[in-house]
Structure formats: C-alpha cells, structure tokens
C-alpha cells in the first residue's frame, strides 16, 4: 500500500475535478491524503479572440481576462477542499481550435496525438520529487475533446510509469444519463453528507462556469432550465445506489500493484 503518498488528480478544465469528485477529495483530505488537482487547459490565451470565444466569455459573465479569473475561482474552490492546485499552460479548445463555431464542434473534434504526448510529458514533469501513488482523471463521458485528450495523456503516463489509474464519472455530462462503468469500481470509504456539502461550497466558487452550464442558453442540454444544486444532489443520490455519491473506476489499461 502507498496510502501516505500523494494522489494526483488531472482535471481537463478549471472546474471538472471539483464538479465530478469534490466530495471524494474532501473525504481523502480528511483521511490525511495529500491531493493535488492539476488542471491541464488553464493556459492564458492572447486576444483578439474568435467570435465563439467572445460569446463563451459572455455566457460566463467574463471578459478578455476570463482565464485569470477562472484560475482564481479554482484556487478558491480547491482551497475549500484543502487540495493543492496546479495549473498547466495548455490552451482550452475554445482558444485552440481555429474552426470552432459551435459547442457541438467540441464533442466531434478529433483528439490531437501530438498534444496528448506534450500534455503527458508536462504531467510527468509536474510530479516533482515525490511521485504520486495514484493518477486520477475523467472517464471522458460526454466526449468533450479536451476530456478525451486529458484521459489519453493521463493513461499514457500511468502506463509508462506503472501507476494506478482511477477514472471518475464526468459531471455534469453524466447527469440524467443511465449509470455505466469505465472499469473496475473503486470505492473510497467514509465519503459523508458533510463532504458532499463541502463539495457544494466548493462548486459555488465557480460562478462563471455555473452561469455557462446552468444559466446561459444551452443547445447541448436542450435548453433545460436546471438548478445546479438540485442536479448535483439528485445525481449524487442516484449514484449512491451504484456505490457512492461519485463513481470511480480503476481503468483496465493500468497495471495495478
Ligand atoms: Zn471540462
């Protein structure tokens, strides 16, 4: 066992890890684990921005300083969970993909192998002196291109360095969807209602992303009007019947030790 060694959670965007596994992070930290949330697509783009990026900023209630402000939101959210935060300099697909003209494009764009390799190297470099015992990342439910790239990069690092790879169910992409699995179920003990409350407090620190996901007009979710707290708690209650508030799997590609 390597229970004393850190867990490195690799989040595609500045919100995904907290939205998906915030309660689990809070529980692990309470159990004395050292958790770092490393966000891949946290790089600061240079204006001028595309029409799509400008429209995205408006949906988020942000301007040209969107990424610095989102980084600040993330520091506050991860601070509530008492996790360390690390931001990698890769550009979000919204700034990276020239041809982007709709949200649908983000879910259809092919993953870029060279970028996967570059991100894998950057994640490896971020280990520092003390290597993590486990790497966690998203299962990429919903197929967002940045989520697929992140999962592929983390899987590559896990394979190369023989590290345990844990995948989480992407929220809110999995909300309202039937339960499905991405490997062998992993359960973290003692994730309590207090940890779920801590997650709600942390998620509330991402006002720009909550505005985009829940208040703006959203074609990709059929324009449904939803309250984020109700959706998050409803999803957690549903998943509790399948093993926990937040579902996790050990990926089949990793070599457990
Ligand atoms: Zn994301």
């Amino acid at each position: 066992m390597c229970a004393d060694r850190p867990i490195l959670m690799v989040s595609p965007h500045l919100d995904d890890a907290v939205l998906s596994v915030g309660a689990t992070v809070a529980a692990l930290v309470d159990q004395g684990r050292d958790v770092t949330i490393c966000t891949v697509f946290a790089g600061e783009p240079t204006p001028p921005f595309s029409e799509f990026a400008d429209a995205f900023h408006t949906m988020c209630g942000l301007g040209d300083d969107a990424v610095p402000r989102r980084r600040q939101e993330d520091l506050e959210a991860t601070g509530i969970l008492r996790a360390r935060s690390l931001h990698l300099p890769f550009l979000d697909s919204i700034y990276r993909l020239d041809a982007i003209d709709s949200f649908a494009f983000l879910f259809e764009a092919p993953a870029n192998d060279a970028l996967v390799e570059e991100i894998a190297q950057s994640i490896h470099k971020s280990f520092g002196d003390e290597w993590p015992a486990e790497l966690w990342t998203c299962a990429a439910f919903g197929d967002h291109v940045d989520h697929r790239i992140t999962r592929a990069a983390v899987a590559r690092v896990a394979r190369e360095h023989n590290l345990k790879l844990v995948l989480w169910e992407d929220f809110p992409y999995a909300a309202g969807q039937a339960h499905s699995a991405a490997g062998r179920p992993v359960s973290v003990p003692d994730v309590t209602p207090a940890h779920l409350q801590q997650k709600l407090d942390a998620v509330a620190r991402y006002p720009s992303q909550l505005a985009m996901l829940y208040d703006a007009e959203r074609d990709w979710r059929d324009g449904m009007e939803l309250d984020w707290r109700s959706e998050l708690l409803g999803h957690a209650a549903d998943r509790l019947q399948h093993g926990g508030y937040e579902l996790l799997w050990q990926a089949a590609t990793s070599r457990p030790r």
Side-chain angles (χ1 to χ4, degrees), residues 83-129:
R84 292 173 207 273
S85 178
L86 185 65
H87 295 158
L88 298 184
F90 297 93
L91 289 184
D92 189 301
S93 51
I94 283 163
Y95 310 112
R96 194 177 70 241
L97 303 174
D98 293 336
I100 186 167
D101 57 0
S102 68
F103 276 112
F105 189 89
L106 295 175
F107 301 91
E108 292 155 8
N112 173 328
D113 286 345
L115 184 57
V116 168
E117 176 58 34
E118 213 184 317
I119 292 169
Q121 286 178 17
S122 182
I123 291 167
H124 180 217
K125 275 192 204 138
S126 79
F127 286 1
D129 294 337

Side-chain angles (χ1 to χ4, degrees), residues 230-247:
S230 315
E231 183 169 68
L232 201 155
L233 290 172
H235 185 72
D238 179 75
R239 288 331 194 217
L240 198 52
Q241 301 165 37
H242 298 282
Y245 293 136
E246 298 164 337
L247 299 185

Side-chain angles (χ1 to χ4, degrees), residues 43-228:
E44 291 188 28
T46 318
F49 299 120
S50 67
E51 220 170 280
F52 185 82
D54 277 335
F56 179 80
H57 292 164
T58 302
M59 288 168 88
C60 297
L62 297 171
D64 283 1
D65 61 346
V67 172
R69 286 178 59 190
R70 291 182 59 190
R71 283 187 179 211
Q72 185 56 38
E73 291 179 350
D74 188 59
L75 289 176
E76 290 177 19
T78 52
I80 285 178
L81 302 178
R82 290 180 294 138
R84 292 173 207 273
S85 178
L86 185 65
H87 295 158
L88 298 184
F90 297 93
L91 289 184
D92 189 301
S93 51
I94 283 163
Y95 310 112
R96 194 177 70 241
L97 303 174
D98 293 336
I100 186 167
D101 57 0
S102 68
F103 276 112
F105 189 89
L106 295 175
F107 301 91
E108 292 155 8
N112 173 328
D113 286 345
L115 184 57
V116 168
E117 176 58 34
E118 213 184 317
I119 292 169
Q121 286 178 17
S122 182
I123 291 167
H124 180 217
K125 275 192 204 138
S126 79
F127 286 1
D129 294 337
E130 195 177 19
W131 277 35
E134 298 173 13
L135 291 177
W136 291 33
T137 193
C138 63
F141 286 175
D143 284 339
H144 189 298
V145 63
D146 288 347
H147 289 226
R148 284 183 273 128
I149 287 173
T150 301
R151 177 182 166 163
V154 178
R156 184 174 300 201
V157 179
R159 229 177 9 249
E160 280 173 7
H161 302 287
N162 198 23
L163 294 168
K164 180 176 171 181
L165 174 61
V166 175
L167 302 177
W168 66 66
E169 186 185 49
D170 308 63
F171 184 87
Y173 296 105
Q177 306 291 321
H179 154 257
S180 62
R184 188 160 57 82
V186 169
S187 85
V188 170
D190 302 324
V191 184
T192 66
H195 295 128
L196 192 56
Q197 181 57 50
Q198 239 181 303
K199 172 182 185 171
L200 292 177
D201 294 345
V203 168
R205 300 302 170 116
Y206 294 105
S208 72
Q209 299 315 289
L210 294 171
M212 184 270 295
L213 290 166
Y214 289 92
D215 296 337
E217 200 179 328
R218 293 167 304 134
D219 295 346
W220 62 285
R221 298 185 71 191
D222 303 324
M224 279 188 295
E225 280 198 27
L226 291 166
D227 165 69
W228 68 267

Side-chain angles (χ1 to χ4, degrees), residues 13 15-16 147:
H13 300 118
D15 68 354
D16 287 307
H147 289 226

